[in-house]
C-alpha cells in the first residue's frame, strides 16, 4: 500500500448542499462492492464508537445538520448513556452496542458506517472489529499508534470490502481546500517554506486514564499525535500531498513534570521534502497556538490563528484576504464522506493518508529521541 499521491487532480470543484466535493482526490483506494450498493437517495446511517467529548459536543450535533447521513447507533461502555443517546437522536435501542460487541453490528440494516472516536490506542482494534462487521469505517486521528497497526487496519478493511477513512475534517473545509488548490495550481509557484504550530494549554495534574491524552498507553504519544498531525496535514497539503523524505526534531522543556511524566509536553520538528522544501513545525500542550504559513517565490498563503480549531479559519494570501463559505467542519466532513461513499468517488482522506501521517510521526519521534536526522519510511 503506497503512501504517495497517485494523482494530482484537484482543479474540479463543485458545491453540493454547501459541501465542496470532487476535488483533492489525491489518493485512490480500491472501490468495494459495499460502496457500489449504497443507494444515493437515502441518508447513510452512522454509529459513533465512544461517546466522549468529540462525539457529544461536535459529531453528534453535526449529525443533526447533515443532509446525507444521520446518527443511527452508538457503541458505548455505558448502557444508560446509550439509551439517552437513542432517545435524544431518535434511533432504536437495539442499535446500542458495547465495545466487545462491535462485530454484532454485522447485518444491522440501519448502520452503514462505524465512526471510531475512542482514545488513540483503541483505534486499531475498534476499526478491525468494525471492518469485520462489514461496515465502512471512519477513524479519528491519529489513525493508530504505529504504521504496523495502520497496515492491519487497511488490510482488515480491504479484506471486508469496506472503506477506511480518517476523520480529517479540514480536507472538507473550504479555506483548507483553497490552500490545497493554491498549492496544486502553483498560483504562487511551489511552496518551499512552511511554518506551522498547533496546540492547547492542557489542564490536569496527572497522566491517569481520565486524562488519557497524557497517558502513554492510551494516547501513544503527546501533542505530536494529537495536535501535530494537523501541522503535518497542512504541510503535506501545501506540497500537493507529497510526504516528507526526512525529519529532524527535538522535545521541548518539561515545565509540568507531574502531568508530562509519560508523553512530551511539546516537540519541534523540521520536515524536508524531495524538492528541497522545508516545514518548521511545533506541537504543544503548553499554550494555545494554531497557525500555518506557506511561502513560494511568487507569494504566500497564511491560515491565521486559529488555523486548525473548529472556528472558521481565515485565509490570507499575498494577494489579500480570501472569502469563502463558513461551514460546520464536522457536518461538512460527514456529508462529504457520505457523498463519496454513495457516489463511489475516492475519499479525500483515506486510510492510506492516515498511514502516511503515522509514518511521519514515527520518524519525528525517532529523530527527537536519537537527536539524529530520521528518514520517513514510505
Ligand atoms: P474523550 O476522552 O472525551 O472521549 C473518549 C471516549 O472513549 C469516552 O466516551 C470514553 O468513555 C471512551 N473510552 C472507551 N474505552 C476507553 C478507555 N479504555 N479509556 C478511556 N476512554 C475510553 O476523548 P475525545 O476528545 O472525544 O477524543 C476521542 C478521539 O477523537 C481521539 O482519537 C481524538 O484524537 C479524536 N478527536 C478528534 C478531533 C478532531 O477535530 N478531528 C477532536 C477531538 C478529538
Amino acid at each position: 500500500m503506497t503512501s504517495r499521491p497517485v494523482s494530482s487532480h484537484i482543479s474540479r470543484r463543485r458545491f453540493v448542499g454547501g459541501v465542496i466535493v470532487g476535488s483533492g482526490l489525491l489518493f485512490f483506494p480500491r472501490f468495494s462492492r459495499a460502496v457500489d450498493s449504497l443507494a444515493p437517495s437515502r441518508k447513510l446511517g452512522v454509529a459513533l464508537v465512544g461517546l466522549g467529548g468529540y462525539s457529544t459536543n461536535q459529531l453528534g450535533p453535526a449529525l443533526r445538520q447533515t443532509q446525507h447521513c444521520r446518527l443511527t447507533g452508538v457503541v458505548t461502555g455505558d448502557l444508560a448513556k446509550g439509551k439517552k443517546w437513542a432517545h435524544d437522536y431518535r434511533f432504536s435501542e437495539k442499535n446500542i452496542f458495547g465495545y466487545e460487541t462491535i462485530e454484532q453490528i454485522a447485518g444491522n440494516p440501519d448502520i452503514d458506517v462505524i465512526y471510531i472516536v475512542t482514545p488513540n490506542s483503541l483505534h486499531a482494534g475498534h476499526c478491525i472489529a468494525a471492518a469485520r462487521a462489514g461496515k465502512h469505517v471512519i477513524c479519528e486521528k491519529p489513525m493508530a499508534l504505529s504504521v504496523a497497526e495502520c497496515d492491519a487496519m487497511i488490510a482488515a478493511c480491504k479484506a471486508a470490502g469496506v472503506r477506511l477513512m480518517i476523520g480529517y475534517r479540514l480536507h472538507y473545509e473550504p479555506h483548507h481546500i483553497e490552500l490545497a488548490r493554491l498549492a496544486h495550481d502553483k498560483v504562487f509557484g511551489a511552496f518551499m517554506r512552511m511554518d506551522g504550530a498547533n496546540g492547547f494549554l492542557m489542564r490536569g495534574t496527572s497522566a491517569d486514564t481520565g486524562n488519557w491524552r497524557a497517558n502513554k498507553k492510551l494516547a501513544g504519544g503527546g501533542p505530536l499525535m494529537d495536535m501535530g498531525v494537523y501541522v503535518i496535514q497542512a504541510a503535506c497539503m501545501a506540497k500537493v500531498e507529497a510526504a516528507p523524505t526526512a525529519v529532524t526534531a527535538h522535545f521541548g522543556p518539561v515545565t509540568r513534570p507531574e502531568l508530562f511524566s509519560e508523553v512530551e509536553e511539546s516537540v519541534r520538528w523540521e520536515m524536508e521534502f524531495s524538492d528541497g522544501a522545508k516545514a518548521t513545525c511545533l506541537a504543544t500542550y503548553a499554550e494555545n497556538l494554531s497557525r500555518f504559513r506557506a511561502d513560494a517565490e511568487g507569494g504566500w498563503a497564511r491560515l491565521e490563528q486559529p488555523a486548525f480549531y473548529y472556528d472558521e479559519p481565515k485565509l490570507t494570501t499575498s494577494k489579500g484576504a480570501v472569502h469563502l463559505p463558513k461551514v460546520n467542519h464536522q457536518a461538512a466532513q460527514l456529508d462529504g464522506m457520505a457523498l463519496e461513499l454513495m457516489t463511489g468517488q475516492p475519499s479525500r482522506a483515506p486510510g492510506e493518508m492516515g498511514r502516511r501521517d503515522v509514518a511521519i510521526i514515527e520518524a519525528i519521534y525517532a529523530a527527537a529521541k536519537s537527536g539524529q536526522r530520521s528518514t520517513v519510511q514510505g
Side-chain angles (χ1 to χ4, degrees):
M1 201 68 72
T2 177
S3 64
R4 304 280 171 187
V6 185
S7 163
S8 57
H9 175 68
I10 200 169
S11 56
R12 271 184 308 126
R13 291 206 300 158
R14 61 195 168 96
F15 283 78
V16 177
V19 178
I20 299 167
V21 297
S23 73
L25 306 179
L26 301 166
F27 289 75
F28 283 77
R30 95 239 91 63
F31 288 85
S32 68
R33 278 172 286 109
V35 171
D36 297 339
S37 68
L38 293 173
S41 55
R42 72 176 176 94
K43 284 190 173 192
L44 297 188
V46 177
L48 292 174
V49 182
L51 304 178
Y54 195 51
S55 286
T56 302
N57 302 319
Q58 272 78 41
L59 295 173
L63 281 158
R64 292 189 194 278
Q65 295 183 30
T66 42
Q67 296 177 39
H68 304 290
C69 53
R70 66 191 183 96
L71 187 67
T72 52
V74 292
V75 176
T76 174
D78 180 342
L79 182 60
K81 201 183 205 181
K83 286 186 174 179
K84 180 160 182 358
W85 276 70
H87 175 267
D88 291 352
Y89 283 90
R90 296 169 186 270
F91 59 81
S92 166
E93 287 189 8
K94 73 177 169 46
N95 294 352
I96 304 169
F97 296 85
Y99 295 109
E100 308 309 320
T101 58
I102 292 175
E103 289 187 36
Q104 290 176 17
I105 298 175
N108 184 312
D110 299 339
I111 298 170
D112 303 290
V113 180
I114 298 178
Y115 194 153
I116 316 296
V117 202
T118 44
N120 308 341
S121 67
L122 307 177
H123 290 181
H126 290 158
C127 167
I128 291 165
R132 286 191 183 136
K135 304 296 181 181
H136 299 295
V137 185
I138 306 174
C139 179
E140 259 313 318
K141 44 59 54 178
M143 179 171 166
L145 302 194
S146 66
V147 170
E149 282 189 350
C150 294
D151 285 339
M153 294 160 78
I154 290 169
C157 289
K158 192 173 180 187
V162 298
R163 279 214 196 173
L164 173 54
M165 298 165 280
I166 308 302
Y168 285 146
R169 58 187 159 80
L170 295 172
H171 275 268
Y172 300 83
E173 195 288 320
H175 301 78
H176 285 256
I177 291 175
E178 177 62 5
L179 174 70
R181 187 193 70 81
L182 294 172
H184 176 267
D185 291 353
K186 293 197 170 47
V187 172
F188 302 116
F191 288 123
M192 295 304 287
R193 290 291 323 175
M194 279 87 68
D195 181 69
N198 198 30
F200 67 92
L201 178 61
M202 181 183 274
R203 312 271 174 204
T205 50
S206 72
D208 58 21
T209 53
N211 192 18
W212 65 262
R213 283 179 170 79
N215 180 298
K216 179 84 191 284
K217 193 162 167 279
L218 286 167
L224 175 60
M225 302 208 73
D226 186 21
M227 307 303 281
V229 74
Y230 290 95
V231 187
I232 291 170
Q233 277 267 302
C236 292
M237 212 180 237
K239 294 309 294 173
V240 200
E241 299 304 343
T245 50
V247 297
T248 52
H250 61 271
F251 295 123
V254 179
T255 64
R256 288 182 293 164
E258 70 285 3
L259 185 54
F260 298 108
S261 56
E262 299 187 14
V263 302
E264 78 276 4
E265 184 170 344
S266 68
V267 58
R268 288 182 188 276
W269 72 99
E270 184 173 88
M271 303 195 284
E272 302 166 22
F273 294 83
S274 59
D275 62 356
K278 289 195 171 153
T280 50
C281 313
L282 166 67
T284 180
Y285 280 153
E287 59 183 311
N288 296 323
L289 268 182
S290 185
R291 58 176 165 74
F292 183 77
R293 177 177 169 124
D295 283 83
E297 209 172 289
W300 50 265
R302 194 171 61 209
L303 286 158
E304 316 282 355
Q305 176 116 354
F308 306 111
Y309 294 179
Y310 308 141
D311 319 61
E312 182 185 5
K314 286 189 179 55
L315 178 65
T316 312
T317 76
S318 41
K319 288 183 178 165
V322 179
H323 300 286
L324 291 164
K326 181 179 177 155
V327 300
N328 173 302
H329 294 198
Q330 290 77 18
Q333 174 210 319
L334 284 155
D335 264 342
M337 289 179 170
L339 278 170
E340 288 164 358
L341 285 169
M342 291 191 288
T343 59
Q345 290 198 45
S347 176
R348 293 183 196 190
E352 287 78 2
M353 182 185 274
R355 182 197 187 277
R356 174 200 70 189
D357 297 345
V358 172
I360 297 167
I361 287 170
E362 282 191 347
I364 294 166
Y365 277 132
K369 281 175 193 155
S370 68
Q372 306 290 314
R373 183 169 174 272
S374 178
T375 305
V376 178
Q377 304 299 324

